[in-house]
Amino acid sequence: MTSIPKSNYFGCKYIRILLKCFIQVLYSAFISGATKGIGNEVARQLALHDFTVLIGARNTQHGEAAVEKLQLDGADAHFIQLDVNDESSIKSAAETISKQFGKVDVLINNAGIKYEFLSGTRPSMLSVDILKDTFLTNFFGVFAIIHNFLPLLKQSGTARIINVSSTLGSLTCLSNPENFFYGVNSLA
């Protein structure tokens, strides 16, 4: 491996700094459910890497508080009203982003619900309403967001979709007989 002579090293470093200042690519990330927990930390980390962070949240007060906290740390963060269970809210969020930002480079589906069950609760013991609520948010909500955000993602040359899941979304965990949820696909 050849080392760069000291004089060229500083010249290259100076050129990289100039390029970063004048040819800076601005990336945007939309994160559903980013007011707390994993979603909020992902937003914070992306902001540290100069992403424009779009915080999607159902609760306006919580969404604006999360954005304000990120902005205090110097982030380019914005609140976008979004209820993953309401397709008109999802369409409205996509329209707002289209008008204000024109594109989304990274779509992170983080919003979701998880009910707490007693150890040993079998899927057949759950009510249909609990299953409907879970699927409405965690499956159909994600699908609706992706469906409505595709035009925004297509405006990006580097679009990515990231779906955050629990261990129930892991085929490795579900196929491990030692896992609590092993056999969850047999609803008996």
Side-chain angles (χ1 to χ4, degrees), residues 1 7 10 34 43 85 91 97 102 106 108 140 162 168:
M1 181 173 174
S7 59
F10 289 111
N85 293 331
K91 286 179 183 178
I97 293 169
V106 181
I108 302 174
F140 293 107
I162 300 168
L168 284 176

Side-chain angles (χ1 to χ4, degrees), residues 4-163:
I4 300 171
K6 203 82 158 150
S7 59
N8 288 345
Y9 173 76
F10 289 111
C12 291
K13 185 176 181 181
Y14 181 70
I15 290 170
R16 281 196 303 271
I17 292 169
L18 281 176
L19 286 174
K20 188 175 181 180
C21 291
F22 294 108
I23 309 175
Q24 185 174 12
V25 178
L26 300 176
Y27 293 108
S28 64
F30 177 84
I31 308 155
S32 66
T35 59
K36 60 184 178 180
I38 292 170
N40 190 260
E41 180 60 19
V42 168
R44 191 180 75 74
Q45 292 292 324
L46 288 172
L48 288 174
H49 288 87
D50 297 326
F51 274 73
T52 296
V53 178
L54 310 174
I55 303 290
R58 178 180 50 215
N59 184 301
T60 303
Q61 187 177 7
H62 293 163
E64 289 175 349
V67 164
E68 185 177 317
K69 186 175 179 189
L70 288 168
Q71 288 174 340
L72 287 173
D73 291 335
D76 181 15
H78 307 269
F79 170 66
I80 305 292
Q81 171 72 42
L82 175 86
D83 181 347
V84 299
N85 293 331
D86 179 1
E87 191 155 5
S88 65
S89 170
I90 296 168
K91 286 179 183 178
S92 177
E95 289 169 5
T96 298
I97 293 169
S98 179
K99 288 176 187 167
Q100 292 181 10
F101 304 97
K103 68 179 172 100
V104 169
D105 298 293
V106 181
L107 170 61
I108 302 174
N109 287 304
N110 175 66
I113 57 172
K114 176 185 164 240
Y115 289 101
E116 296 294 329
F117 302 109
L118 297 175
S119 179
T121 300
R122 307 268 309 157
S124 59
M125 302 164 89
L126 302 176
S127 74
V128 172
D129 288 338
I130 286 177
L131 292 175
K132 282 181 180 178
D133 285 349
T134 303
F135 274 84
L136 180 64
T137 301
N138 297 350
F139 179 77
F140 293 107
V142 169
F143 179 83
I145 291 172
I146 292 171
H147 178 76
N148 285 283
F149 277 60
L150 274 177
L152 294 166
L153 291 161
K154 287 179 180 179
Q155 296 301 312
S156 169
T158 59
R160 300 288 187 268
I161 299 173
I162 300 168
N163 295 318

